[in-house]
Amino acid sequence: MACKRGALIVLEGVDKAGKTTQCKKLVQALQQSGRPAEMMRFPDRTTTIGQLISAYLEKKSDLEDHTVHLLFSANRWELVPQMRKKLEQGITLVVDRYAFSGVAFTSAKQGFCLDWCMKPDVGLPKPDLVIFLQLSPAEATLRGQFGEERYGTSVFQRAVQQRFEQLMKEPSVNWQVIRLSEH
Ligand code: NYM
């Protein structure tokens, strides 16, 4: 008997929005309701490409900006066969960041446009749903300092948020915004 394809659900947002916690909760809730579900995250730091990205994020290495953008995309592409297989097996994938983070973070840097940033990810499996966790500036402040990794400044994160807002105008993507209040 052919089983129903799993859904591809992506969680997006700026750093510290709580994506990882919510991904885990969603996977748990889906499993408890009897639906096979697994979590994935990007970057996946376990692969060879992921290790290059991780060293860059941890500021242990420097990479040219276009190069690291393409590595983030390659990290998604290398996992596509695995993703497709699981979806075909009926497993719902809950993914912590996807191509939208790739575009929002790189295009927040000087000299990058959305159009160039989107190109390497064209053709990736399309999410059925993208949940955007919208952190208010007040809540971001309450959550304290961003981490020690690259991109961890509030100025950069605000630029990333603006890029996400531009991406959310794309009507072909099923965006659902969840506003996180201060309490
Ligand atoms: N990031 C993440 C990018 O710059 N491009 C991408 O394509 C992806 C998927 O990596 N600050 C950035 C966003 C985060 C950082 O993510 C690591 P995490 O979820 O903290 O491991």
Side-chain angles (χ1 to χ4, degrees):
M1 192 180 85
C3 73
K4 217 172 135 202
R5 180 189 172 276
L8 179 55
I9 303 173
V10 171
L11 269 82
E12 284 285 7
V14 297
D15 293 355
K16 290 203 309 166
K19 294 177 296 301
T20 305
T21 308
Q22 295 306 325
C23 279
K24 287 182 186 160
K25 286 188 170 184
L26 183 52
V27 168
Q28 244 177 8
L30 287 164
Q31 288 172 345
Q32 278 164 7
S33 72
R35 292 185 183 85
E38 287 181 21
M39 183 174 160
M40 290 184 77
R41 66 179 311 145
F42 290 110
D44 179 334
R45 302 187 193 216
T46 64
T47 69
T48 306
I49 294 170
Q51 283 163 20
L52 291 174
I53 294 170
S54 190
Y56 169 81
L57 289 170
E58 291 168 18
K59 301 179 190 164
K60 290 180 182 156
S61 70
D62 279 323
L63 286 168
E64 192 274 331
D65 288 330
H66 298 79
T67 309
V68 75
H69 182 74
L70 296 173
L71 286 177
F72 272 112
S73 179
N75 184 231
R76 286 182 279 278
W77 279 108
E78 67 178 334
L79 287 154
V80 165
Q82 192 182 311
M83 289 172 77
R84 288 201 200 283
K85 201 167 155 204
K86 286 184 190 278
L87 291 169
E88 276 158 24
Q89 286 169 344
I91 299 168
T92 286
L93 295 177
V94 177
V95 187
D96 187 349
R97 297 189 191 278
Y98 200 47
F100 311 98
S101 272
V103 177
F105 277 78
T106 301
S107 66
K109 296 179 177 177
Q110 289 288 317
F112 284 88
C113 65
L114 287 183
D115 199 39
W116 186 88
C117 292
M118 282 159 74
K119 292 239 155 75
D121 290 306
V122 170
L124 283 178
K126 194 176 169 188
D128 298 288
L129 170 65
V130 186
I131 300 172
F132 185 79
L133 299 187
Q134 174 102 51
L135 194 62
S136 70
E139 179 67 16
T141 311
L142 279 181
R143 291 186 186 192
Q145 293 301 303
F146 289 101
E148 293 299 306
E149 286 204 333
R150 235 178 255 268
Y151 309 143
T153 68
S154 41
V155 173
F156 192 78
Q157 296 289 325
R158 269 199 296 275
V160 171
Q161 170 70 30
Q162 282 170 1
R163 297 306 193 150
F164 271 127
E165 280 163 21
Q166 279 175 271
L167 290 175
M168 279 186 254
K169 290 181 187 149
E170 176 50 57
S172 72
V173 178
N174 180 16
W175 288 97
Q176 294 295 324
V177 179
I178 305 212
R179 279 171 228 287
L180 306 168
S181 69
E182 281 97 88
H183 303 292

